[in-house]
Amino acid sequence: MNAAAGPAGSPSSSPAADFSLAVLAELVGLGVTDAVLTPGSRSQALALTLAELHRARMLDLQVRVDERVAGFTALGLGVETARPAIVVTTSGTAVANLLPAVLEAHHSRVPMLLLTSDRPESMRGTAGNQTTWQPGIFGRFVRLAVDVPAPSGDPAEGALAAQLAVSAVEAALGTHTGNPGPVHLNLQLREPLSGTVPDLVALLASGEWMPGGAGARVGAGDGDGDGDGGGAADGGGAAVGVETGVAAAEDSARTPLVLARGPRTVVIAGHDAGPAAEELAHRGGWPLIAEPSSGSRFGRNLIVASRELLRDADFGGRVERAIVFGHPTLSREVPALSLREDVETVVVTPAAASAEPGEVVLDAYNPGHRVSTFVTGVEVAAASAAGTAGVGRTAGVAGAGGTAGGTDAISEERDWLRSWVLASRALIDEQGADDPIPAPNIEFANSPDIAERRAYRLAETAALKAPVTRRTLALAVWQATWPHDRLILGASRLIRDLDRVAPGKNIRVHANRGLAGIDGTVSTAIGIALSSQRDPATEHGVTRVLLGDLTLLHDAGALLFGTGEARPRIQLIVANDGGGTIFDTLEVAATADRAAFDRVMLTPQTVDLEALAKAYGWSYARASTRVELDRALTAPLAGPTLLEVPLPR
């Protein structure tokens, strides 16, 4: 059978259509499950093929009118599944609009497949309509870029499509590099741009055709070829004591670094660190500093008041070693630690698997300061003294080796951890005591003293009617989220407020922290919601998005669901303080002219969010008190909802 001609076995009279089907069917056969499409003329063959693949239930297709929204929706799908989602666009500015999502995917190491349609090479530089220079448009921010010549109907093009698909998926997953990210296939297509799309439902039922003629599937997320996508549930982190780089069999010489006992150590879990950071902190008996979107913010070693303690000479000032997972972005104190000559900094990153000695590791944590070592994995050295070998949980890894520590080192590390935990608890309790509306004394609720019971009821009523603050909002959303839910945090003051107060909880949290921008937050969240709610384990969950008003307005186009498009259970919790009040925290806010500062930094807005929600067909609610907030967060959701929470500047 001529693979380029499609499953029917005969040409469709359009080489563009035949090649589009060959590439897309191969991608499906390799385990790709999602696609996001924006309409256009040059991409019509890809669009019609995707529609048929969706009808045949071979992949899930989402249609968006805005390429920037489509790119970030694909990003969210990739975040949740650890598989690359396809993004299809027409030519011209449509391609350029993908750049923001490509940048975030690059820096966050999220797999993505960009299939952009183009005129044949001969039309470049001729001022042809919607023709620009698309090859290489994303520069260094893609893992692979291929300018694919316009198909002509040659029988060999079927093999080319298969090879192209395999290379693209492997590069997007980082199968051989440990460094997943976006891939760009620029498909030159000439007229006729579309032909007859075969009935894939009938062909599948008859057994005449199966997708994926190239052979072996590429494993989604783990690169081991079994397609189990093991990386998704772990939030991108690696198991302690195991190399984090994929294709470990190709690089067996890279063994985990053994961490000797003794140095006063902290474990830092930045964005997307995964549970490996918590596991290491537990095994080592070291304080854990974990950002909300790290995937590590749980366990008994968690230090919530980490910023204050890192600034304290008796705590942060005594740190001798920092083990860093993920991408820390929320505080100045963490990068400041690596400025110090007396602190050894070890960065654990899958990207180290493909780095040459002395090479700067692409996308690894590197704030421009001193980093001692980049490694793919770490282990804690076993203690040699009797009775100390079993400290902490075992990671099930044999042959740890390395220099062993004794009982004195173990005892000192326990004291080190205990001091951090107790100090953090005291600071958090102190913050809670500063609440202008203290919690009622629960002991008074059933007191035999009438005055005490009355005092309890009055205090309870006052607490429920109290206005919402940023702190109470962040905590309420955190407390309302459970493992079958998803929580997405916008790049605003709120993620920092949450970082200061949120207790440990093993839930899935995401934030676009690759570049820490507000762009595409709603779109990304919708992609996560769509994917998580088709998984039987999380299909009944809710996706909550905690974001500021400007973050919402910047991505307002994402609120549009076309007729017939899937509408997930998603709740946008918009903290509306009338502008970018995060800039009020900058030093310049105290000295700048107030009117000028407000215009160019705060950028005040008075948008009617209720009208905006209703214009796009979203449900709307408003919560200005704690009791209203609690009711809104616990009420069942039937579909997309916008919850506005007014906050003072």
Side-chain angles (χ1 to χ4, degrees):
M1 182 183 76
N2 177 5
S10 58
S12 68
S13 77
S14 168
D18 296 337
F19 192 77
S20 296
L21 175 58
V23 170
L24 290 171
E26 195 65 44
L27 291 175
V28 169
L30 291 168
V32 175
T33 58
D34 289 281
V36 189
L37 165 72
T38 55
S41 173
R42 186 62 48 172
S43 57
Q44 60 187 268
L46 292 164
L48 293 171
T49 300
L50 285 173
E52 179 62 18
L53 289 168
H54 179 83
R55 189 180 76 89
R57 298 187 177 181
M58 297 169 66
L59 59 64
D60 275 359
L61 173 65
Q62 316 299 327
V63 180
R64 299 293 185 266
V65 300
D66 182 332
E67 286 80 13
R68 186 175 62 85
V69 169
F72 278 104
T73 303
L75 178 81
L77 290 163
V79 165
E80 179 65 24
T81 64
R83 299 170 183 261
I86 299 168
V87 186
V88 169
T89 75
T90 189
S91 60
T93 58
V95 182
N97 277 307
L98 295 177
L99 181 58
V102 170
L103 288 170
E104 180 61 32
H106 163 75
H107 288 285
S108 292
R109 300 173 4 100
V110 176
M112 183 185 294
L113 295 170
L114 312 165
L115 273 59
T116 60
S117 307
D118 199 0
R119 266 69 173 166
E121 184 179 12
S122 60
M123 294 186 66
R124 294 173 187 159
T126 64
N129 187 38
Q130 288 191 333
T131 302
T132 186
W133 196 268
Q134 294 177 195
I137 193 170
F138 301 117
R140 61 178 294 176
F141 302 111
V142 290
R143 304 296 184 264
L144 174 69
V146 183
D147 187 24
V148 184
S152 61
D154 189 302
E157 288 170 354
L160 172 63
Q163 179 183 359
L164 188 67
V166 170
S167 298
V169 172
E170 288 184 340
L173 291 172
T175 302
H176 303 295
T177 64
N179 191 32
V183 165
H184 180 205
L185 303 182
N186 188 61
L187 305 178
Q188 301 175 38
L189 302 170
R190 62 166 55 94
E191 291 80 358
L193 292 173
S194 60
T196 302
V197 180
D199 185 339
L200 298 184
V201 175
L203 289 170
L204 285 169
S206 67
E208 295 181 35
W209 178 73
M210 286 294 291
R217 291 171 178 259
V218 177
D222 56 3
D224 60 9
D226 62 7
D228 63 5
D234 294 339
V240 172
V242 181
E243 291 189 72
T244 62
V246 292
E250 300 177 6
D251 197 8
S252 58
R254 294 188 183 273
T255 56
L257 174 70
V258 178
L259 301 171
R261 296 284 188 179
R264 288 186 291 272
T265 301
V266 293
V267 178
I268 297 169
H271 170 69
D272 204 27
E278 190 277 334
E279 177 75 12
L280 178 69
H282 195 121
R283 290 193 68 202
W286 299 317
L288 171 64
I289 298 168
E291 296 183 359
S293 62
S294 63
S296 318
R297 198 178 178 101
F298 60 94
R300 66 188 185 193
N301 293 33
L302 177 66
I303 306 301
V304 176
S306 58
R307 297 187 194 184
E308 293 86 347
L309 294 182
L310 284 175
R311 292 194 298 266
D312 192 302
D314 290 333
F315 292 92
R318 299 176 64 211
V319 173
E320 296 174 328
R321 181 173 61 188
I323 314 299
V324 182
F325 292 77
H327 184 198
T329 63
L330 288 181
S331 73
R332 298 177 181 180
E333 290 80 10
V334 167
L337 208 58
S338 62
L339 276 170
R340 289 168 40 189
E341 294 294 331
D342 60 336
V343 175
E344 177 190 8
T345 304
V346 177
V347 175
V348 185
T349 171
S354 59
E356 298 296 327
E359 180 183 354
V360 175
V361 179
L362 180 66
D363 273 347
Y365 167 74
N366 187 354
H369 307 319
R370 187 181 63 84
V371 174
S372 306
T373 313
F374 289 103
V375 296
T376 58
V378 288
E379 289 180 353
V380 181
S384 60
T388 61
V391 173
R393 291 176 295 190
T394 175
V397 180
T403 303
T407 54
D408 289 344
I410 296 293
S411 177
E412 290 176 2
E413 285 174 339
R414 285 174 176 165
D415 291 341
W416 172 246
L417 172 61
R418 185 182 300 109
S419 67
W420 279 76
V421 171
L422 294 177
S424 176
R425 288 176 182 172
L427 286 168
I428 295 302
D429 289 344
E430 184 179 324
Q431 292 176 15
D434 291 338
D435 193 323
I437 307 294
N441 187 341
I442 193 67
E443 295 180 359
F444 288 178
N446 298 309
S447 171
D449 189 316
I450 296 177
E452 288 185 347
R453 293 201 303 271
R454 182 173 181 275
Y456 173 82
R457 289 195 297 271
L458 290 174
E460 183 182 41
T461 301
L464 292 174
K465 292 184 177 180
V468 178
T469 65
R470 289 182 179 84
R471 181 178 183 275
T472 56
L473 173 59
L475 277 174
V477 174
W478 184 262
Q479 291 165 355
T481 305
W482 297 101
H484 61 282
D485 297 327
R486 295 293 181 263
L487 176 59
I488 291 82
L489 304 173
S492 67
R493 294 175 65 175
L494 290 166
I495 189 173
R496 290 167 173 80
D497 291 333
L498 185 64
D499 187 42
R500 291 180 183 274
V501 299
K505 196 174 188 180
N506 192 0
I507 55 177
R508 288 287 296 275
V509 183
H510 178 72
N512 284 344
R513 301 306 297 176
L515 289 178
I518 66 173
D519 201 2
T521 302
V522 179
S523 304
T524 303
I526 289 173
I528 291 172
L530 288 166
S531 180
S532 64
Q533 290 170 28
R534 70 179 181 217
D535 185 334
T538 55
E539 62 181 338
H540 299 298
V542 172
T543 296
R544 294 183 179 84
V545 192
L546 183 60
L547 71 169
D549 50 297
L550 293 188
T551 304
L552 167 72
L553 296 174
H554 197 281
D555 201 23
L559 300 176
L560 175 62
F561 291 100
T563 302
E565 295 300 308
R567 296 167 63 88
R569 289 182 306 281
I570 184 169
Q571 185 179 49
L572 303 182
I573 304 153
V574 184
N576 190 357
D577 52 15
T581 62
I582 189 173
F583 298 119
D584 285 339
T585 64
L586 299 177
E587 290 85 349
V588 69
T591 59
D593 175 78
R594 176 53 58 183
F597 181 88
D598 284 359
R599 183 186 180 199
V600 303
M601 299 294 290
L602 177 70
T603 53
Q605 59 80 25
T606 57
V607 174
D608 185 340
L609 297 188
E610 181 177 9
L612 179 69
K614 291 183 177 179
Y616 282 106
W618 287 54
S619 299
Y620 171 85
R622 189 175 188 272
S624 57
T625 66
R626 296 187 187 185
V627 67
E628 291 173 344
L629 178 62
D630 289 341
R631 286 172 181 167
L633 292 176
T634 56
L637 295 184
T641 299
L642 192 155
L643 172 62
E644 181 179 4
V645 182
L647 292 177
R649 181 177 179 181

